[in-house]
Amino acid sequence: QVHVAESGGGLVQPGGSLRLSCTAAGRTSSRYGMGWFRQTPGKEREFVAAITSTGGGTSYADSVKGRFTISRENAKNTVYLQMNSLRPEDTAVYYCAADPPPYLIRSSWYSADRWDYWGQGTQVTVSS
């Protein structure tokens, strides 16, 4: 079992920035691949970004490329999502997901149903 927890959501004006944090902890000291998804009412959970267990590989949804950056600090077992130039359409509940070994192949990152461990979500609202 892996426990995942997000933090850092809130209310921000259009054009502003927020940084989300996520920690994942389990019975072993294994590193986890990590992903961020978001969801709005009545819609499916949508891929935002993901990063490999080593931090050597990342992927982003087209809608956030150039604005969001995923990174990790393995000493703290923490992953970050730096969100800049936020838009009202970025408003959603943001969820962090963990991928323990054996890891998902990268083409599976984009499907929420391929990730087994999720946090409770953190609300991000972009509004003036």
Side-chain angles (χ1 to χ4, degrees):
Q1 191 65 284
V2 179
H3 179 69
V4 181
E6 310 95 338
S7 61
L11 173 64
V12 63
Q13 292 187 342
S17 298
L18 275 178
R19 189 177 78 160
L20 306 182
S21 301
C22 174
T23 59
R27 290 187 175 181
T28 72
S29 61
S30 299
R31 291 181 181 175
Y32 307 105
M34 302 293 290
W36 287 98
F37 287 74
R38 64 188 182 186
Q39 191 169 23
T40 54
K43 293 190 176 181
E44 293 188 354
R45 202 164 288 190
E46 170 190 43
F47 173 80
V48 175
I51 189 167
T52 60
S53 60
T54 62
T58 59
S59 184
Y60 297 91
D62 288 343
S63 58
V64 306
K65 278 181 185 174
R67 300 188 298 122
F68 291 11
T69 303
I70 189 170
S71 62
R72 66 186 303 146
E73 190 173 356
N74 282 333
K76 296 183 178 180
N77 216 19
T78 300
V79 170
Y80 305 100
L81 185 68
Q82 178 66 43
M83 305 186 294
N84 298 329
S85 301
L86 282 161
R87 305 167 180 168
E89 54 263 39
D90 294 318
T91 296
V93 178
Y94 283 71
Y95 294 92
C96 181
D99 172 33
Y103 303 113
L104 294 171
I105 59 174
R106 192 168 294 202
S107 60
S108 294
W109 280 359
Y110 310 105
S111 300
D113 59 3
R114 301 304 299 272
W115 296 75
D116 290 332
Y117 301 101
W118 293 89
Q120 78 287 353
T122 185
Q123 176 71 45
V124 172
T125 301
V126 184
S127 176
S128 54

